[in-house]
Amino acid sequence: MIKRILLAFAIGVLATAALFALSFAADSFGFTSLANGFLWQNTLLQSFAPLGNMGTPERPVYEGTPLNFLAFLASVPLGIVIYSVMAYAVLSMVRRRA
């Protein structure tokens, strides 16, 4: 059981790191929607952080706040937890079938 937990945690860390890398690569090539999809947990958390309009109502310019940075930082452990739980569930199902 401990082996399965450690394996699931390792899979969660690797999946989160790989999806972060894919997200940054997609964003650098201009595929913003794809990048948001790869890093969906960050997109979800960023939707709760307010943005400040530094421009006019006709020409808005939005600037991030420290809450946006905290949401980005929180998305890393959130991704690890979510993908680890998913990996544990899959590993448990595979073990039951074998």
Side-chain angles (χ1 to χ4, degrees), residues 19-40 43:
L19 288 172
F20 259 81
L22 286 172
S23 175
F24 284 114
D27 191 53
S28 69
F29 286 115
F31 300 114
T32 307
S33 295
L34 185 61
N36 289 340
F38 283 139
L39 207 52
W40 64 269
T43 305

Side-chain angles (χ1 to χ4, degrees), residues 27-81:
D27 191 53
S28 69
F29 286 115
F31 300 114
T32 307
S33 295
L34 185 61
N36 289 340
F38 283 139
L39 207 52
W40 64 269
Q41 67 270 21
N42 182 46
T43 305
L44 175 70
L45 292 178
Q46 292 293 339
S47 69
F48 296 117
L51 296 174
N53 183 5
M54 304 300 286
T56 64
E58 296 82 26
R59 301 190 82 163
V61 176
Y62 292 103
E63 184 174 289
T65 65
L67 289 175
N68 294 100
F69 183 65
L70 291 176
F72 173 74
L73 292 179
S75 69
V76 176
L78 179 63
I80 291 171
V81 168

